[in-house]
């Protein structure tokens, strides 16, 4: 797939990228979490920790980096605050609470919505072509595997007609693969039953300590004047308070007033994707 030009002044964040593989027998892996992150919560950050534990205990991969990729404003999901605020909140959360997570604003700062398949291609390009992959302690080059990290609610939309194009599913699940964090309210076996062809590339992670925080609930609490402390990092709570975010339903979110639903938008993108890839 062809990649759009990078946003102005863009550089791929790699300051926390582990460029030397600890175990030369393992395959280097980068986890990419795509989502609205409006706002980012502790659960979003924990998804990466759960994935790292799962990878270490159950797979032949070694995680060398983890990225949050906030979705573009054109996604037009209700409650989607501007990309700038969402990127800022994700950056505050990762820089102040994690030693290895990074935020990539490439997708958020594009001039239009970018499908997840294209976002994964962007990561693959930056990591394997531009950075040149990683090396073992002996200096041997290794290509890095890029995989999507998602909750089971997102994966269940892959069986809904019109949300993802068939070529995109093949691209995401066949070429890259995914780690799925189970989420209460989604039946994981039903969510994945139509994805059997890519079973070898789909890893399901059980939440041993159930956490059903969602950005929607956080936004609702803020609107009602309820505390959201300890649901998201304290510096993110301060950022929200200082900027008066999420106090009312509409402003100052990104423009979601055009009347288009998320599904209509994605469906439109997905069909143009099918047309361009077939
Ligand atoms: N409680 C949770 N358990 C498992 N996965 C989650 C949970 N919350 C979010 N995710 C996953 O995090 C990713 C980013 O999601 P997103 O930013 O849309 O969060 P959200 O909290 O579901 O947002 P919203 O409430 O605005 O729909 C998605 O893959 C989603 O499935
Ligand atoms: N066709 C697609 O590429 C497609 C479809 C639906 C959601 N997504 C992605 O899923 C992520 C999370 O979406 P939600 O916030 O709606 O759960 C976003 O990054 C969005 O871009 C991609």
């Amino acid at each position: 797939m062809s990649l759009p030009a990078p946003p102005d002044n863009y550089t791929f964040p790699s300051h926390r990228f582990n460029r030397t593989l600890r175990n030369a027998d393992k395959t280097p892996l980068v986890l990419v979490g795509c989502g609205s992150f409006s706002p980012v919560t502790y659960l979003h950050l924990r998804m990466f920790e759960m994935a790292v534990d799962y990878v270490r205990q159950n797979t032949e991969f070694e995680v060398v980096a983890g990225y949050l990729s906030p979705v573009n404003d054109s996604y037009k999901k209700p409650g989607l605050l501007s990309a700038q605020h969402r990127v800022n909140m994700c950056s505050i959360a990762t820089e102040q609470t994690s030693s290895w997570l990074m935020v990539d604003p490439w997708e958020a700062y594009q001039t239009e919505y970018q499908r997840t398949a294209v976002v994964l291609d962007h990561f693959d390009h930056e990591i394997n072509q531009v950075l040149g992959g990683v090396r073992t302690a002996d200096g041997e080059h290794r290509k890095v595997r890029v995989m999507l990290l998602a909750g089971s609610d997102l994966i269940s939309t892959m069986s809904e007609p019109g949300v993802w194009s068939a070529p995109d599913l093949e691209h995401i699940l066949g070429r890259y693969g995914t780690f799925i964090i189970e989420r209460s309210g989604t039946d994981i076996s039903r969510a994945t039953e139509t994805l059997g062809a890519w079973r070898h590339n789909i890893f399901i992670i059980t939440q041993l300590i159930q956490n059903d925080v969602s950005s929607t609930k956080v936004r609702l609490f803020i609107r009602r004047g309820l505390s959201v402390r300890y649901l998201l990092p304290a510096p993110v709570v301060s950022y929200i308070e200082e900027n008066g975010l999420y106090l009312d339903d509409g402003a100052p979110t990104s423009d979601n007033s055009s009347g288009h639903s998320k599904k209509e938008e994605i469906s439109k993108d997905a069909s143009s994707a099918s047309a361009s890839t077939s």
Side-chain angles (χ1 to χ4, degrees), residues 58-134:
N58 303 286
T59 74
E60 287 312 308
F61 295 113
E62 179 179 312
V63 175
V64 292
Y67 289 93
L68 278 75
S69 182
V71 76
N72 191 270
D73 285 347
S74 314
Y75 194 47
K76 298 183 194 297
K77 182 173 167 171
L80 194 66
L81 205 69
S82 71
Q84 175 129 37
H85 279 313
R86 290 181 292 114
V87 168
N88 287 348
M89 287 188 284
C90 287
S91 302
I92 291 169
T94 51
E95 292 300 321
Q96 299 199 25
T97 71
S98 166
S99 59
W100 64 283
L101 291 176
M102 290 170 276
V103 182
D104 183 7
W106 180 88
E107 175 185 0
Y109 291 155
Q110 286 291 332
T111 50
E112 54 190 33
Y113 175 73
Q114 299 299 326
R115 292 157 13 246
T116 300
V118 176
V119 174
L120 295 178
D121 278 355
H122 151 73
F123 277 97
D124 194 29
H125 171 77
E126 291 289 345
I127 292 164
N128 285 309
Q129 325 268 287
V130 183
L131 285 183
V134 300

Side-chain angles (χ1 to χ4, degrees), residues 33-41 43-44 47 50 75 77-80 148-155 181-184 207 210-219 262:
C34 292
S36 304
F37 305 115
S38 185
V40 62
T41 69
L43 194 277
H44 293 134
M47 288 173 67
M50 287 184 245
Y75 194 47
K77 182 173 167 171
L80 194 66
L148 178 69
L149 174 63
S152 51
D153 58 312
L154 180 63
I155 297 302
I181 307 286
E182 73 161 5
R183 188 170 191 175
S184 59
Q207 278 203 55
Q210 290 285 337
N211 181 342
D212 196 29
V213 170
S214 75
S215 302
T216 303
K217 289 178 191 166
V218 169
R219 293 194 300 272
K262 174 178 68 166

